[in-house]
Amino acid sequence: MIYRSKAPLRIGLAGGGTDVSPYSELYGGAILNATISLYARASIEPLSDGKIIFDCADRRETATYDAVYPLPLDGKLDILKGVINRVQKDFGNLPSPGFKLTTFVDAPAGSGLGTSSTLVVAVLGAFAEWMKLPLGEYDMAHLAYSIEREDLQQAGGKQDQYAATFGGVNFMEFYKGDKVIVNPLRIKEINLHELENNLVLFYTSTSRLSSTIISEQQKNVTDKNDDSIEAMHHLKEQAVMMKEALLRGTIDKIGEILNYGFEYKKKMAKGITNPQLDEIYDAARKAGASGGKISGAGGGGFMIFYCPKNTRFAVVDALSGFGGDVKRYTFTNHGIQTWSI
């Protein structure tokens, strides 16, 4: 048997960064995001030779270990090993000590679409399928978060794990005590089509280490940096504004709301933008985009631009001069899906 899973990546539309501790514990955070038709995929093939084989097909990276737990966290494929160690610790011995784990992610690491967290969810999903684990959506998302933030000590927020698990367009609230509330939004199909048509997803052909930016953001809250905290308050407000625009169908306000958030996002921490990203943003605005943002923590990766009416074609043409890539996508209503063959 082969046990498979796929979990969708996400576009963060508003509120980015307010899901990160300690801000979410002190003030409460709010995020609006939507999953798209780019995925993290995982497959498990049981083996009888007592070996664990990793095959990261998108990165062309492989490694083999003896099935002795816990697997060493040595800086190589630690995300995958962290999931396996936690599953073995929490749920007991695996059905077969040896197995081959094959993974593939449709976007590069550090690109701002939640790739690392979505991969964790996908791998967890494959193990849940194999071991018949009774994990609900909140359970799986929280376990994925715990593996990354507690076991692996990686800086970051909470939205990606919940987006990958639940899927769809969600308004998410984050509170102290790891309390998360996921509110699925019932958006009229015509409005979702218009948003999909007008929202250009552009890969800048650069990646960044999000944990560096996030760590500074966390420090700014701990040190009571008023400008940074005030910016996060505005981004939380932006999430509410975005929710209202989507539910009311005032889709062309989204560009303005994105631009509002972009201006405040830059005040959260250093490195969120840079001269190259600013040049790309300005070129898109001059070509007709009414607003946009850097996806994820910032510093590189994907950018999104809202292009009202038929301006997307002029915007795409303007972006072509920066050597990046416009990525086609559709919104998806499904979170993680698992199956076996």
Side-chain angles (χ1 to χ4, degrees):
M1 296 284 286
I2 300 177
Y3 305 89
R4 302 195 193 277
S5 71
K6 69 174 185 177
L9 304 182
R10 60 97 185 105
I11 294 176
L13 291 173
T18 67
D19 60 323
V20 177
S21 175
Y23 180 87
S24 57
E25 279 80 6
L26 293 172
Y27 306 103
I31 292 271
L32 199 150
N33 58 33
T35 51
I36 57 176
S37 55
L38 300 174
Y39 297 91
R41 306 168 192 270
S43 296
I44 295 173
E45 302 173 68
L47 302 174
S48 58
D49 61 0
K51 298 291 184 181
I52 297 174
I53 301 172
F54 295 106
D55 181 6
C56 303
D58 55 320
R59 297 166 56 176
R60 295 181 173 84
E61 185 175 357
T62 61
T64 302
Y65 293 85
D66 291 325
V68 178
Y69 300 101
L71 295 173
L73 300 179
D74 53 10
K76 185 175 183 180
L77 305 179
D78 281 356
I79 282 183
L80 304 183
K81 289 186 283 189
V83 175
I84 295 166
N85 287 344
R86 185 63 176 269
V87 168
Q88 199 271 343
K89 176 185 174 183
D90 286 5
F91 302 104
N93 292 332
L94 306 180
S96 169
F99 58 89
K100 180 179 181 180
L101 173 61
T102 303
T103 59
F104 192 96
V105 185
D106 290 337
S111 58
L113 300 181
T115 52
S116 296
S117 299
T118 306
L119 179 58
V120 171
V121 170
V123 174
L124 269 177
F127 276 101
E129 177 72 16
W130 185 21
M131 301 174 70
K132 308 304 178 193
L133 302 179
L135 294 175
E137 292 160 324
Y138 279 100
D139 299 324
M140 183 171 292
H142 179 72
L143 180 56
Y145 171 81
S146 178
I147 291 169
E148 285 188 89
R149 307 294 172 246
E150 297 169 9
D151 297 356
L152 300 176
Q153 291 292 298
Q154 296 181 348
K158 300 182 180 74
Q159 67 156 319
D160 298 341
Q161 299 87 351
Y162 287 85
T165 305
F166 281 82
V169 182
N170 293 296
F171 180 80
M172 301 182 181
E173 302 169 83
F174 305 90
Y175 301 101
K176 64 181 179 180
D178 285 333
K179 180 181 179 182
V180 180
I181 301 174
V182 178
N183 305 280
L185 300 186
R186 295 179 60 185
I187 301 170
K188 290 182 179 178
E189 192 172 2
I190 187 173
N191 294 329
L192 206 55
H193 286 323
E194 185 67 5
L195 177 62
E196 189 177 279
N197 181 80
N198 294 355
L199 206 60
V200 170
L201 181 61
F202 178 68
Y203 183 54
T204 64
S205 294
T206 62
S207 62
R208 77 287 181 269
L209 189 62
S210 62
S211 59
T212 302
I213 297 172
I214 292 169
S215 293
E216 183 182 342
Q217 175 189 323
Q218 292 174 310
K219 185 176 185 298
N220 285 340
V221 176
T222 302
D223 293 348
K224 295 182 169 49
N225 182 310
D226 291 341
D227 289 343
S228 181
I229 293 172
E230 184 66 21
M232 294 181 207
H233 291 340
H234 283 285
L235 285 165
K236 184 166 61 173
E237 179 186 359
Q238 182 207 21
V240 177
M241 294 161 59
M242 186 70 71
K243 178 177 71 169
E244 182 175 342
L246 288 171
L247 292 177
R248 288 181 176 272
T250 53
I251 303 301
D252 277 349
K253 284 187 177 181
I254 286 175
E256 175 187 333
I257 297 169
L258 286 171
N259 188 63
Y260 172 89
F262 181 67
E263 293 302 319
Y264 281 107
K265 179 88 171 178
K266 291 185 287 186
K267 299 179 181 180
M268 284 170 49
K270 295 176 183 177
I272 286 176
T273 189
N274 57 50
Q276 179 193 12
L277 299 179
D278 287 340
E279 186 179 359
I280 293 171
Y281 192 86
D282 292 342
R285 291 292 303 276
K286 288 176 182 176
S290 54
K293 72 185 293 287
I294 305 167
S295 191
F302 279 94
M303 301 180 74
I304 60 174
F305 299 99
Y306 186 84
C307 308
K309 304 186 187 302
N310 286 317
T311 58
R312 69 169 289 123
F313 306 105
V315 171
V316 168
D317 187 56
L319 294 174
S320 67
F322 292 95
D325 179 46
V326 172
K327 194 82 169 179
R328 298 297 299 180
Y329 70 94
T330 56
F331 291 119
T332 175
N333 288 323
H334 293 290
I336 185 166
Q337 295 174 289
T338 68
W339 67 98
S340 55
I341 56 170

Short mmCIF file of all heavy atoms in Angstrom, two decimals, residues 182-222:
data_model
loop_
_atom_site.label_atom_id
_atom_site.label_comp_id
_atom_site.label_asym_id
_atom_site.label_seq_id
_atom_site.Cartn_x
_atom_site.Cartn_y
_atom_site.Cartn_z
N VAL A 182 -11.41 29.40 13.57
CA VAL A 182 -11.43 29.48 12.11
C VAL A 182 -12.87 29.72 11.65
O VAL A 182 -13.76 28.90 11.91
CB VAL A 182 -10.87 28.19 11.48
CG1 VAL A 182 -10.95 28.28 9.95
CG2 VAL A 182 -9.44 27.94 11.93
N ASN A 183 -13.08 30.85 11.00
CA ASN A 183 -14.41 31.22 10.51
C ASN A 183 -14.43 31.13 8.98
O ASN A 183 -13.94 32.03 8.29
CB ASN A 183 -14.75 32.65 10.93
CG ASN A 183 -14.64 32.87 12.43
OD1 ASN A 183 -15.53 32.51 13.18
ND2 ASN A 183 -13.53 33.47 12.87
N PRO A 184 -14.99 30.05 8.41
CA PRO A 184 -15.09 29.96 6.94
C PRO A 184 -16.04 31.04 6.42
O PRO A 184 -17.10 31.29 6.99
CB PRO A 184 -15.67 28.56 6.70
CG PRO A 184 -15.46 27.83 7.99
CD PRO A 184 -15.53 28.86 9.07
N LEU A 185 -15.66 31.70 5.34
CA LEU A 185 -16.47 32.77 4.77
C LEU A 185 -17.29 32.24 3.59
O LEU A 185 -16.75 31.59 2.69
CB LEU A 185 -15.59 33.93 4.33
CG LEU A 185 -14.74 34.60 5.41
CD1 LEU A 185 -14.04 35.83 4.84
CD2 LEU A 185 -15.58 34.99 6.62
N ARG A 186 -18.58 32.57 3.59
CA ARG A 186 -19.46 32.18 2.48
C ARG A 186 -19.48 33.33 1.48
O ARG A 186 -20.29 34.26 1.59
CB ARG A 186 -20.85 31.87 3.00
CG ARG A 186 -20.90 30.65 3.92
CD ARG A 186 -22.31 30.39 4.41
NE ARG A 186 -23.23 30.14 3.32
CZ ARG A 186 -24.54 29.98 3.48
NH1 ARG A 186 -25.07 30.05 4.69
NH2 ARG A 186 -25.33 29.75 2.43
N ILE A 187 -18.59 33.26 0.50
CA ILE A 187 -18.46 34.33 -0.49
C ILE A 187 -19.19 33.91 -1.76
O ILE A 187 -19.06 32.76 -2.22
CB ILE A 187 -16.97 34.59 -0.79
CG1 ILE A 187 -16.24 34.98 0.50
CG2 ILE A 187 -16.80 35.68 -1.84
CD1 ILE A 187 -14.74 35.03 0.36
N LYS A 188 -19.95 34.82 -2.33
CA LYS A 188 -20.66 34.49 -3.56
C LYS A 188 -19.67 34.09 -4.64
O LYS A 188 -18.60 34.67 -4.78
CB LYS A 188 -21.49 35.69 -4.02
CG LYS A 188 -22.68 36.01 -3.11
CD LYS A 188 -23.49 37.17 -3.65
CE LYS A 188 -24.69 37.46 -2.75
NZ LYS A 188 -25.48 38.62 -3.24
N GLU A 189 -20.07 33.09 -5.42
CA GLU A 189 -19.16 32.53 -6.42
C GLU A 189 -18.69 33.58 -7.42
O GLU A 189 -17.51 33.60 -7.81
CB GLU A 189 -19.86 31.37 -7.15
CG GLU A 189 -18.91 30.55 -8.00
CD GLU A 189 -19.57 29.31 -8.56
OE1 GLU A 189 -20.78 29.12 -8.32
OE2 GLU A 189 -18.87 28.54 -9.24
N ILE A 190 -19.57 34.48 -7.82
CA ILE A 190 -19.20 35.51 -8.78
C ILE A 190 -18.11 36.42 -8.21
O ILE A 190 -17.20 36.85 -8.93
CB ILE A 190 -20.44 36.34 -9.23
CG1 ILE A 190 -20.06 37.29 -10.36
CG2 ILE A 190 -21.04 37.11 -8.05
CD1 ILE A 190 -21.26 38.01 -10.96
N ASN A 191 -18.17 36.70 -6.92
CA ASN A 191 -17.16 37.55 -6.30
C ASN A 191 -15.81 36.83 -6.17
O ASN A 191 -14.76 37.45 -6.34
CB ASN A 191 -17.64 38.01 -4.92
CG ASN A 191 -18.83 38.93 -5.01
OD1 ASN A 191 -18.99 39.67 -5.98
ND2 ASN A 191 -19.70 38.89 -4.00
N LEU A 192 -15.87 35.53 -5.92
CA LEU A 192 -14.64 34.76 -5.84
C LEU A 192 -13.98 34.66 -7.22
O LEU A 192 -12.75 34.75 -7.35
CB LEU A 192 -14.94 33.37 -5.27
CG LEU A 192 -13.80 32.66 -4.55
CD1 LEU A 192 -13.24 33.52 -3.41
CD2 LEU A 192 -14.25 31.31 -4.01
N HIS A 193 -14.82 34.51 -8.26
CA HIS A 193 -14.28 34.49 -9.62
C HIS A 193 -13.61 35.82 -9.96
O HIS A 193 -12.54 35.84 -10.58
CB HIS A 193 -15.40 34.22 -10.62
CG HIS A 193 -15.87 32.80 -10.64
ND1 HIS A 193 -15.03 31.72 -10.49
CD2 HIS A 193 -17.11 32.27 -10.83
CE1 HIS A 193 -15.71 30.59 -10.56
NE2 HIS A 193 -16.99 30.90 -10.77
N GLU A 194 -14.24 36.91 -9.57
CA GLU A 194 -13.67 38.23 -9.87
C GLU A 194 -12.36 38.45 -9.12
O GLU A 194 -11.40 38.99 -9.69
CB GLU A 194 -14.68 39.32 -9.51
CG GLU A 194 -14.25 40.74 -9.89
CD GLU A 194 -14.18 40.98 -11.39
OE1 GLU A 194 -14.55 40.08 -12.17
OE2 GLU A 194 -13.73 42.07 -11.78
N LEU A 195 -12.32 38.03 -7.87
CA LEU A 195 -11.09 38.15 -7.09
C LEU A 195 -9.98 37.32 -7.73
O LEU A 195 -8.84 37.80 -7.88
CB LEU A 195 -11.33 37.69 -5.65
CG LEU A 195 -10.10 37.70 -4.73
CD1 LEU A 195 -9.56 39.11 -4.56
CD2 LEU A 195 -10.46 37.11 -3.37
N GLU A 196 -10.30 36.12 -8.13
CA GLU A 196 -9.31 35.24 -8.76
C GLU A 196 -8.80 35.84 -10.07
O GLU A 196 -7.60 35.79 -10.38
CB GLU A 196 -9.96 33.89 -9.02
CG GLU A 196 -9.04 32.79 -9.46
CD GLU A 196 -9.81 31.49 -9.60
OE1 GLU A 196 -10.04 30.82 -8.57
OE2 GLU A 196 -10.22 31.15 -10.72
N ASN A 197 -9.71 36.44 -10.84
CA ASN A 197 -9.33 37.05 -12.11
C ASN A 197 -8.42 38.26 -11.90
O ASN A 197 -7.49 38.49 -12.67
CB ASN A 197 -10.59 37.48 -12.87
CG ASN A 197 -10.25 38.10 -14.21
OD1 ASN A 197 -9.99 37.39 -15.19
ND2 ASN A 197 -10.25 39.42 -14.29
N ASN A 198 -8.69 39.04 -10.87
CA ASN A 198 -8.02 40.32 -10.69
C ASN A 198 -6.76 40.25 -9.84
O ASN A 198 -6.00 41.22 -9.78
CB ASN A 198 -8.97 41.34 -10.07
CG ASN A 198 -10.11 41.70 -11.02
OD1 ASN A 198 -10.15 41.25 -12.16
ND2 ASN A 198 -11.05 42.49 -10.53
N LEU A 199 -6.54 39.13 -9.15
CA LEU A 199 -5.41 39.03 -8.24
C LEU A 199 -4.26 38.30 -8.96
O LEU A 199 -4.35 37.12 -9.29
CB LEU A 199 -5.82 38.25 -6.99
CG LEU A 199 -5.05 38.54 -5.70
CD1 LEU A 199 -5.16 40.00 -5.29
CD2 LEU A 199 -5.55 37.65 -4.58
N VAL A 200 -3.19 39.05 -9.21
CA VAL A 200 -2.01 38.50 -9.89
C VAL A 200 -0.99 38.03 -8.85
O VAL A 200 -0.64 38.77 -7.93
CB VAL A 200 -1.37 39.57 -10.80
CG1 VAL A 200 -0.01 39.08 -11.33
CG2 VAL A 200 -2.30 39.89 -11.96
N LEU A 201 -0.55 36.79 -9.01
CA LEU A 201 0.42 36.18 -8.11
C LEU A 201 1.77 36.15 -8.84
O LEU A 201 1.93 35.47 -9.84
CB LEU A 201 -0.03 34.78 -7.73
CG LEU A 201 0.83 33.97 -6.77
CD1 LEU A 201 0.96 34.66 -5.42
CD2 LEU A 201 0.25 32.57 -6.59
N PHE A 202 2.74 36.90 -8.32
CA PHE A 202 4.02 37.09 -8.99
C PHE A 202 5.16 36.59 -8.12
O PHE A 202 5.33 37.04 -6.98
CB PHE A 202 4.23 38.57 -9.32
CG PHE A 202 5.55 38.88 -9.97
CD1 PHE A 202 5.83 38.43 -11.26
CD2 PHE A 202 6.50 39.63 -9.31
CE1 PHE A 202 7.04 38.71 -11.87
CE2 PHE A 202 7.73 39.92 -9.92
CZ PHE A 202 8.00 39.46 -11.20
N TYR A 203 5.95 35.65 -8.66
CA TYR A 203 7.12 35.16 -7.94
C TYR A 203 8.34 35.98 -8.34
O TYR A 203 8.69 36.06 -9.52
CB TYR A 203 7.36 33.68 -8.24
CG TYR A 203 8.52 33.10 -7.46
CD1 TYR A 203 8.56 33.22 -6.07
CD2 TYR A 203 9.57 32.44 -8.09
CE1 TYR A 203 9.62 32.70 -5.34
CE2 TYR A 203 10.63 31.91 -7.36
CZ TYR A 203 10.65 32.05 -5.98
OH TYR A 203 11.70 31.55 -5.25
N THR A 204 8.97 36.59 -7.36
CA THR A 204 10.08 37.50 -7.62
C THR A 204 11.39 36.78 -7.91
O THR A 204 12.42 37.43 -8.14
CB THR A 204 10.30 38.44 -6.42
OG1 THR A 204 10.68 37.66 -5.27
CG2 THR A 204 9.04 39.23 -6.11
N SER A 205 11.35 35.45 -7.89
CA SER A 205 12.55 34.62 -8.11
C SER A 205 13.57 34.78 -6.99
O SER A 205 14.77 34.53 -7.18
CB SER A 205 13.20 34.91 -9.47
OG SER A 205 12.34 34.52 -10.52
N THR A 206 13.12 35.25 -5.85
CA THR A 206 13.98 35.31 -4.67
C THR A 206 13.26 34.62 -3.53
O THR A 206 12.04 34.51 -3.52
CB THR A 206 14.28 36.77 -4.25
OG1 THR A 206 13.04 37.42 -3.89
CG2 THR A 206 14.94 37.53 -5.38
N SER A 207 14.02 34.15 -2.57
CA SER A 207 13.43 33.59 -1.35
C SER A 207 14.11 34.26 -0.17
O SER A 207 15.09 34.98 -0.31
CB SER A 207 13.61 32.07 -1.29
OG SER A 207 14.98 31.74 -1.27
N ARG A 208 13.54 34.02 1.01
CA ARG A 208 14.13 34.63 2.21
C ARG A 208 13.91 33.71 3.39
O ARG A 208 13.07 32.82 3.35
CB ARG A 208 13.54 36.02 2.48
CG ARG A 208 12.14 35.99 3.12
CD ARG A 208 11.05 35.57 2.13
NE ARG A 208 9.74 35.59 2.74
CZ ARG A 208 9.19 34.55 3.36
NH1 ARG A 208 9.85 33.45 3.52
NH2 ARG A 208 7.98 34.66 3.86
N LEU A 209 14.68 33.94 4.44
CA LEU A 209 14.52 33.19 5.67
C LEU A 209 13.52 33.95 6.54
O LEU A 209 13.86 34.93 7.18
CB LEU A 209 15.86 33.03 6.38
CG LEU A 209 15.88 32.08 7.59
CD1 LEU A 209 15.52 30.66 7.16
CD2 LEU A 209 17.26 32.10 8.24
N SER A 210 12.27 33.50 6.53
CA SER A 210 11.21 34.23 7.21
C SER A 210 11.44 34.35 8.70
O SER A 210 11.02 35.32 9.33
CB SER A 210 9.85 33.57 6.94
OG SER A 210 9.82 32.26 7.47
N SER A 211 12.14 33.35 9.29
CA SER A 211 12.32 33.36 10.74
C SER A 211 13.10 34.57 11.22
O SER A 211 12.88 35.06 12.34
CB SER A 211 13.03 32.08 11.19
OG SER A 211 14.29 31.95 10.57
N THR A 212 14.00 35.10 10.39
CA THR A 212 14.78 36.28 10.78
C THR A 212 13.88 37.49 10.94
O THR A 212 13.96 38.23 11.93
CB THR A 212 15.87 36.57 9.72
OG1 THR A 212 16.70 35.42 9.58
CG2 THR A 212 16.71 37.76 10.14
N ILE A 213 12.99 37.70 9.96
CA ILE A 213 12.06 38.83 10.03
C ILE A 213 11.08 38.63 11.17
O ILE A 213 10.78 39.57 11.93
CB ILE A 213 11.31 38.97 8.69
CG1 ILE A 213 12.32 39.29 7.56
CG2 ILE A 213 10.24 40.06 8.77
CD1 ILE A 213 11.71 39.24 6.18
N ILE A 214 10.57 37.42 11.32
CA ILE A 214 9.59 37.14 12.37
C ILE A 214 10.20 37.32 13.76
O ILE A 214 9.56 37.85 14.67
CB ILE A 214 9.00 35.73 12.19
CG1 ILE A 214 8.15 35.67 10.93
CG2 ILE A 214 8.17 35.33 13.41
CD1 ILE A 214 7.73 34.27 10.52
N SER A 215 11.45 36.91 13.92
CA SER A 215 12.11 37.07 15.22
C SER A 215 12.23 38.54 15.60
O SER A 215 12.03 38.91 16.77
CB SER A 215 13.50 36.43 15.19
OG SER A 215 13.40 35.02 15.06
N GLU A 216 12.52 39.39 14.61
CA GLU A 216 12.59 40.82 14.91
C GLU A 216 11.21 41.38 15.25
O GLU A 216 11.06 42.19 16.17
CB GLU A 216 13.18 41.61 13.73
CG GLU A 216 13.31 43.09 14.06
CD GLU A 216 13.84 43.92 12.91
OE1 GLU A 216 14.42 43.35 11.98
OE2 GLU A 216 13.65 45.15 12.96
N GLN A 217 10.21 40.90 14.53
CA GLN A 217 8.84 41.32 14.82
C GLN A 217 8.46 40.94 16.25
O GLN A 217 7.86 41.75 16.98
CB GLN A 217 7.90 40.65 13.83
CG GLN A 217 6.42 40.91 14.08
CD GLN A 217 5.55 40.03 13.20
OE1 GLN A 217 5.88 39.77 12.05
NE2 GLN A 217 4.44 39.57 13.75
N GLN A 218 8.81 39.74 16.67
CA GLN A 218 8.52 39.30 18.04
C GLN A 218 9.25 40.16 19.06
O GLN A 218 8.69 40.54 20.08
CB GLN A 218 8.91 37.83 18.20
CG GLN A 218 8.04 36.87 17.40
CD GLN A 218 8.55 35.44 17.46
OE1 GLN A 218 9.73 35.18 17.23
NE2 GLN A 218 7.66 34.50 17.79
N LYS A 219 10.50 40.48 18.76
CA LYS A 219 11.29 41.31 19.66
C LYS A 219 10.69 42.70 19.79
O LYS A 219 10.67 43.30 20.88
CB LYS A 219 12.74 41.40 19.16
CG LYS A 219 13.68 42.15 20.10
CD LYS A 219 15.11 42.10 19.58
CE LYS A 219 16.09 42.74 20.59
NZ LYS A 219 15.81 44.16 20.84
N ASN A 220 10.17 43.23 18.69
CA ASN A 220 9.56 44.56 18.73
C ASN A 220 8.35 44.60 19.67
O ASN A 220 8.10 45.60 20.34
CB ASN A 220 9.15 44.99 17.33
CG ASN A 220 10.33 45.41 16.47
OD1 ASN A 220 11.41 45.72 17.00
ND2 ASN A 220 10.15 45.41 15.16
N VAL A 221 7.60 43.49 19.69
CA VAL A 221 6.45 43.43 20.61
C VAL A 221 6.94 43.30 22.04
O VAL A 221 6.45 44.00 22.95
CB VAL A 221 5.52 42.26 20.23
CG1 VAL A 221 4.39 42.14 21.25
CG2 VAL A 221 4.96 42.45 18.83
N THR A 222 7.89 42.42 22.27
CA THR A 222 8.43 42.21 23.62
C THR A 222 9.04 43.50 24.16
O THR A 222 8.87 43.83 25.35
CB THR A 222 9.49 41.10 23.60
OG1 THR A 222 8.89 39.89 23.10
CG2 THR A 222 10.03 40.84 24.99
#
